[in-house]
Amino acid sequence: MDPFVYLTGDRFPMIRDMGWNQVEEVYTHHDRLLDFDVFIFVTKGSMQVIEGTTEYIINEKEHLFLKRGLHHWGRPETVPGTSWYWVHFNSPVHDYSSYKEHSPLPEIDFFYPDHYAYRFPMPKHGTSPFHRTLENRLQMLVEDFQKPKEHGMVQLSIQVYQLFLELHKSTKEYNRSTRNVGKGATVTGRVMTFLKQHTDEDFDSTKLSSHLNLNYSYVSATFKTQTGLSIIEAHTKLRINKAIDWMRNTSLNVSEISERLGYKNPYYFSRVFKKVIGESPSSYMSNFYRNK
């Protein structure tokens, strides 16, 4: 069973319970099988937990996610004085068959409903500079949890979701910098920089390969693995995103936008736009209050 806890872009985790605990003697983690996910953050000391067949030692300022449906327990190895925060929550969905495995690239966001249908794994165990702020953040959340109010659980769940998003981003960046990983991400970043500089022309794989001084097959495969998109799809979406920006903020018409983006003619541009967005440029433009 996949040990990772997943969140999605279209739903927030629903909080069941949360709190803080400290032990004065050697502690043994509960032996249990839960129907909800668990987040643990150790503020002092060291906690030992076994999930499935994997042992984790959660040191001070480290976190661990435990997944629903996986048996976890502990031996009497958690040191006296250890303290931790815990959050019990239900993940938003458990059937991810319709969800994309990659989050949208920030440069080509369209904010349509299917844009949010993606999932991402939370970092199972680790730390980052962000973790230095977690104790205060969690303390405030626990205090809110203990003060019942209208829509309180919804507000609390949204705040925990925001905290998890920040933890996800910070841990990912920290692991990349400390472990010297992320070569693929570097290639992807260079590709995106090139594509953004060439939104006003058709995509040229030879020019990109020469610019990066890398084999195009390698670049293409790496980009696809990192983003879930082909380079051509990303280039097309960048061009359409530029078109949308002009639609929102200028008085340019469809033909003028098409020409500025280097399309052969406005009819071809309209077909591409409709394929990407789902409606024609003129229909899409009618949604905005445009500058005259």
Side-chain angles (χ1 to χ4, degrees):
M1 185 177 183
D2 184 352
F4 287 96
V5 173
Y6 288 86
L7 297 183
T8 73
D10 62 348
R11 304 180 190 183
F12 53 76
M14 293 169 287
I15 303 305
R16 293 173 58 125
D17 199 4
M18 64 189 309
W20 176 85
N21 195 28
Q22 184 173 36
V23 293
E24 300 303 328
E25 300 177 351
V26 174
Y27 174 75
T28 303
H29 197 279
H30 299 299
D31 187 333
R32 57 190 181 178
L33 184 67
L34 302 176
D35 64 351
F36 51 83
D37 297 312
V38 180
F39 171 74
I40 297 172
F41 176 66
V42 172
T43 56
K44 182 180 178 181
S46 177
M47 176 183 287
Q48 186 262 4
V49 184
I50 301 171
E51 181 184 54
T53 58
T54 304
E55 179 181 34
Y56 296 95
I57 304 298
I58 321 168
N59 293 311
E60 187 171 316
K61 298 297 187 290
E62 291 184 351
H63 79 270
L64 175 69
F65 281 94
L66 296 170
K67 185 169 183 173
R68 68 185 292 270
L70 282 179
H71 179 211
H72 67 264
W73 73 100
R75 294 189 290 266
E77 296 181 12
T78 295
V79 299
T82 295
S83 58
W84 66 95
Y85 285 93
W86 46 270
V87 181
H88 296 166
F89 63 98
N90 287 102
S91 295
V93 292
H94 300 296
D95 178 10
Y96 298 107
S97 58
S98 62
Y99 281 74
K100 296 186 286 289
E101 297 291 331
H102 298 85
S103 60
L105 292 170
E107 297 89 345
I108 55 178
D109 290 352
F110 296 127
F111 299 103
Y112 269 58
D114 63 351
H115 163 93
Y116 299 92
Y118 66 93
R119 70 169 187 164
F120 52 98
M122 294 304 297
K124 184 71 178 176
H125 173 219
T127 189
S128 76
F130 173 72
H131 286 61
R132 291 195 290 266
T133 70
L134 263 181
E135 183 171 359
N136 290 336
R137 295 275 295 271
L138 288 166
Q139 181 181 351
M140 289 188 289
L141 290 173
V142 169
E143 289 174 358
D144 281 346
F145 176 75
Q146 295 168 347
K147 300 174 183 176
K149 56 186 176 182
E150 186 176 13
H151 308 304
M153 294 303 290
V154 174
Q155 293 176 356
L156 186 67
S157 295
I158 292 172
Q159 291 179 70
V160 170
Y161 184 40
Q162 178 63 43
L163 184 145
F164 283 172
L165 288 174
E166 294 177 45
L167 183 147
H168 178 271
K169 179 176 183 292
S170 181
T171 305
K172 185 176 180 180
E173 292 174 348
Y174 180 70
N175 288 342
R176 183 176 296 160
S177 64
T178 57
R179 299 178 187 174
N180 195 29
V181 297
K183 183 178 179 181
T186 300
V187 171
T188 296
R190 294 177 65 194
V191 170
M192 289 301 296
T193 298
F194 175 88
L195 296 181
K196 285 185 285 186
Q197 294 170 346
H198 294 82
T199 55
D200 59 348
E201 59 189 69
D202 290 336
F203 174 68
D204 187 329
S205 61
T206 301
K207 185 181 291 187
L208 171 63
S209 180
S210 176
H211 175 76
L212 299 181
N213 195 28
L214 292 169
N215 177 273
Y216 181 72
S217 295
Y218 164 75
V219 173
S220 178
T222 300
F223 189 88
K224 181 76 172 182
T225 299
Q226 289 284 319
T227 68
L229 296 172
S230 70
I231 295 177
I232 294 176
E233 287 174 321
H235 183 246
T236 300
K237 290 188 174 185
L238 279 171
R239 297 176 88 183
I240 297 304
N241 204 50
K242 186 66 176 178
I244 290 173
D245 180 55
W246 284 333
M247 290 176 182
R248 290 178 181 272
N249 300 302
T250 74
S251 58
L252 295 172
N253 60 38
V254 173
S255 294
E256 290 168 331
I257 291 173
S258 172
E259 182 179 358
R260 289 197 179 195
L261 288 172
Y263 281 94
K264 299 179 180 66
N265 58 65
Y267 302 105
Y268 177 65
F269 165 69
S270 294
R271 288 201 300 273
V272 173
F273 189 96
K274 186 171 184 179
K275 182 178 180 181
V276 174
I277 298 299
E279 59 182 309
S280 68
S282 57
S283 173
Y284 191 85
M285 289 170 70
S286 67
N287 298 319
F288 304 131
Y289 298 101
R290 305 193 70 211
N291 296 327
K292 301 296 183 182

